Amino acid sequence: MSLKNPVLTASGTFGYGREYTDFIDLSDLGGIIVKGTTLHPREGNAYPRMAETPSGMLNAVGLQNKGVDYFVAHIYPEVSQYDTQVLVNVSGSTVDDYVACAEKIQALDRIPAIELNVSCPNVKQGGMAFGVSCEGIASVVGAVRKVYHKHLMVKLSPNVTSIADIALAAEDAGADSVSLINTLLGMSIDAEKRRPRLSTVTGGLSGACVKPVALRMVWQVAKAVNIPVVGLGGISSATDAIEFLLAGASAVQIGTANFIDPAVSVKVVRGIEDYCERHHIGAVSSLTGALEI
Amino acid sequence: MVKRILDLRLAEKREWPQTVLLKLRSDVEPLPEAAPGQFLQVRVDQSPATYLRRPVSIHFIDRERRELWLLVRKVGAGTRAMAEWPVQTRVNVIFPLGRPYTLPQSSTRERCLLVGGGIGTAPLLYLGRVLRQQGHQPVFLLGGRSAEDLIQLNEFEQYGELCLCTEDGSAGTKGLVTDHPVLQGPSPDRIYCCGPKPMMVAVARYARQKGIWCEVSLENTMACGIGACLCCVEDTVEGHRCVCQEGPVFNINQLKWQI
Ligand SMILES: Cc1cc2nc3c(=O)[nH]c(=O)nc-3n(C[C@H](O)[C@H](O)[C@H](O)COP(=O)(O)OP(=O)(O)OC[C@H]3O[C@@H](n4cnc5c(N)ncnc54)[C@H](O)[C@@H]3O)c2cc1C
Ligand SMILES: Cc1cc2nc3c(=O)[nH]c(=O)nc-3n(C[C@H](O)[C@H](O)[C@H](O)COP(=O)(O)O)c2cc1C
Ligand code: FES
């Protein structure tokens, strides 16, 4: 899979792209990754689903989506017109669900890749159970690999002891690339009311506050695997993005920062170009892993 | 309506003990079209405590002066920081957002009751003005804890009759909006309501009993404000709906409230 530039938008933070067309030209992006899509429709978790935290936020959306058949019938016709790569984030509760969903997406010509979400912390069986053990990830990735013949990106959970081991297990099971990080499991309490701020008590932390953790994990994973690494977690500027590239990422995703500045993704694209010019770098790919220690 | 990211200038402000009126001006271009009930996402200062934008209703739009008025109640870090902005501060907003109030047909001369509680009175000023301009008869029923909560009254007065009430009796009749005698009189054709949830539920119950058409404006917490994150959903008869995109205004028949 080739991208115009190394900037994608992260699943669950960019809707289906259409939410942002008033602010940016989607064709300026390397790609967009649409919302988590499951085999069957899901209503998601109860409100409240969001709590702001210092320099970040917790969410407990819980994979609300209308299911893959709805995507194929009603959303694909629109997103397939975009002049950028469109990836589908595939989520599920059982191996069979992931496989069935991936097969349906495979039939769509204009979707060059799926991002397998084995790391959603917000539903009881949201895949995180798969994403936190080497056996778990190997079972889902292996099963999907058998039926899915295009680019298979696997999105890793940071809620693990050794993310490099998990990444290796995904690579061994047939992943073409890995993306990381999904949200960090967190919690927020309203002391006055003595109640949790989220209906689900715990939720996924994202935004600027997670960046140091994400950067460290990208660095560890990039050293361990031979497949491309896509870095994300708290990226809010071109400088943030370049740090991920230097740590070993081949591309980056922008998530929560889109909520604060809906035009930030294109600013990151331009900022990376400026950086390359200033540093006389011909191909942005030469930044990948160029960290000097 | 196309959503825009705009840099406006704080041209004028007025403060009350708990509330601030911010008049934002667009120096370079006319303001985009917007309708009553819509809102903005305001960028505060991106300190750790105000990472996300804050949703604020359109209090009033003065098209000729290219002014957008916000009425903000100081409840936490973000709204307090907004109240401290010096005049001339550049304010970054995303605007206009959300589905507006449904206006009656312009030929029908309807009697509209606009019920606001606390800071929920904010969106009703522009609504009242547009209703009045279209030949309808707005009546404002505004409630608060005490007289301090009832502000901008000389502005409201320009567009319709005022009915006031406070819980402590320091202004208007004593009690809740639903105790006000105006509700005992002839039924209005429509009710528009914005305020704390218990108040909106009580008003919705009144409207349901009397069979009066009623829209309420919700204030669910938001992250993006543009329909991308699904954080702000309300459980409706059609399932989870985004308050920022399919609301904030909902007809009471769409909601699953116990009324
Ligand atoms: C569509 C919409 C329109 C709004 N219009 C206005 C307006 O015109 N004027 C105005 O003053 N406020 C309005 N609000 C509410 C306003 O967005 C919140 O008061 C603000 O985000 C609080 O930010 P803060 O940093 O000051 O407080 P925080 O530190 O975030 O919170 C302080 C306290 O306020 C409560 N709070 C936070 N957000 C909300 C919310 N959305 N609704 C109710 N309570 C909340 C918290 O639970 C907490 O107890 C609107 C909200 C929405 C969703
Ligand atoms: C509201 C919200 C919804 C999300 N939904 C999904 C999802 O459906 N699938 C997924 O793989 N990740 C989802 N994520 C995780 C993001 O894609 C991303 O991995 C994470 O937020 C970290 O990046 P950031 O700090 O740049 O946001 C979601 C994040 C947020 C904030
Ligand atoms: S606040 Fe993001 S969808 Fe409504």
Side-chain angles (χ1 to χ4, degrees), chain B residues 222-225 227-232 242 244:
Chain B
M222 295 181 176
C224 71
C229 72
L230 306 184
C231 286
C232 62
C242 276
C244 69

Side-chain angles (χ1 to χ4, degrees), chain A residues 12-13 15 19-20 22-23 35 43-45 47 49-50 52-57 61 64 207-208 256 259-262, chain B residues 1-3 5 43 46 48-54 94 220-224 226-231 233 239-240:
Chain A
T13 66
E19 293 81 357
Y20 287 85
D22 283 354
F23 311 108
K35 258 201 275 274
E43 268 292 299
N45 293 318
Y47 179 85
R49 291 176 170 187
M50 195 282 288
E52 192 176 4
T53 58
S55 298
M57 60 175 275
V61 171
Q64 177 178 334
T256 305
F259 303 160
I260 296 149
D261 178 2
Chain B
M1 271 177 259
V2 177
K3 301 172 184 129
I5 307 173
R43 190 153 170 175
Q46 273 216 296
T50 54
Y51 181 64
L52 299 169
R53 289 177 184 261
R54 296 295 188 266
I94 310 178
N220 293 12
T221 47
M222 295 181 176
C224 71
I226 58 173
C229 72
L230 306 184
C231 286
V233 294
H240 283 144

Side-chain angles (χ1 to χ4, degrees), chain A residues 10-12 36 59 63 89 117 155 181-183 206-207 232-234 255-256, chain B residues 229:
Chain A
S11 177
N59 90 81
L63 299 176
N89 179 268
N117 175 11
K155 186 163 181 181
I181 58 174
N182 206 317
T183 53
S206 66
L232 74 150
T256 305
Chain B
C229 72

Side-chain angles (χ1 to χ4, degrees), chain A residues 162-246:
Chain A
S162 170
I163 194 154
D165 289 341
I166 306 277
L168 280 169
E171 181 179 26
D172 287 345
D176 295 311
S177 63
V178 287
S179 55
L180 63 145
I181 58 174
N182 206 317
T183 53
L184 280 152
L185 194 59
M187 181 168 172
S188 175
I189 292 176
D190 184 333
E192 293 300 320
K193 296 182 185 148
R194 301 190 195 179
R195 294 190 48 87
R197 284 209 160 86
L198 297 174
S199 67
T200 47
V201 185
T202 61
L205 185 66
S206 66
C209 62
V210 308
K211 198 190 100 184
V213 176
L215 198 56
R216 181 266 293 179
M217 291 188 158
V218 165
W219 181 65
Q220 290 177 325
V221 167
K223 283 193 300 179
V225 300
N226 291 312
I227 49 178
V229 176
V230 178
L232 74 150
I235 297 177
S236 318
S237 67
T239 311
D240 290 345
I242 289 161
E243 290 174 27
F244 277 80
L245 299 177
L246 293 172

